[in-house]
Amino acid sequence: MLYLRHITGDALAFLDIQAKWDHQLGFFLRPLYDYVTSPLLLGARWDFRLLNFAAAMVLLSVAGSC
């Protein structure tokens, strides 16, 4: 965030950009929940859910092994 403040003058500029792209902050395990509840739905807008599910599973396994 210090780098972002240095470059843009606003440490939270990423929040402004996310709002302009109509994205909102959410719980980081939401893709895992979405995939488990409806695994046959492969896409929601441009979001590739299977990749998000795999990334969440890798994150959980790495965090669990530490």
Side-chain angles (χ1 to χ4, degrees):
M1 289 177 47
L2 292 174
Y3 177 73
L4 191 59
R5 174 146 170 89
H6 175 72
I7 297 297
T8 65
D10 181 10
L12 300 175
F14 65 92
L15 291 175
D16 296 333
I17 296 301
Q18 293 294 324
K20 289 189 185 341
W21 287 349
D22 197 26
H23 294 176
Q24 59 273 11
L25 293 176
F27 186 57
F28 73 98
L29 289 177
R30 181 66 187 197
L32 174 65
Y33 174 77
D34 289 342
Y35 182 76
V36 170
T37 57
S38 58
L40 296 178
L41 181 61
L42 292 179
R45 294 174 46 181
W46 59 272
D47 188 17
F48 189 56
R49 297 175 66 196
L50 184 58
L51 181 61
N52 284 339
F53 175 74
M57 294 307 293
V58 167
L59 175 70
L60 289 174
S61 65
V62 168
S65 67
C66 291

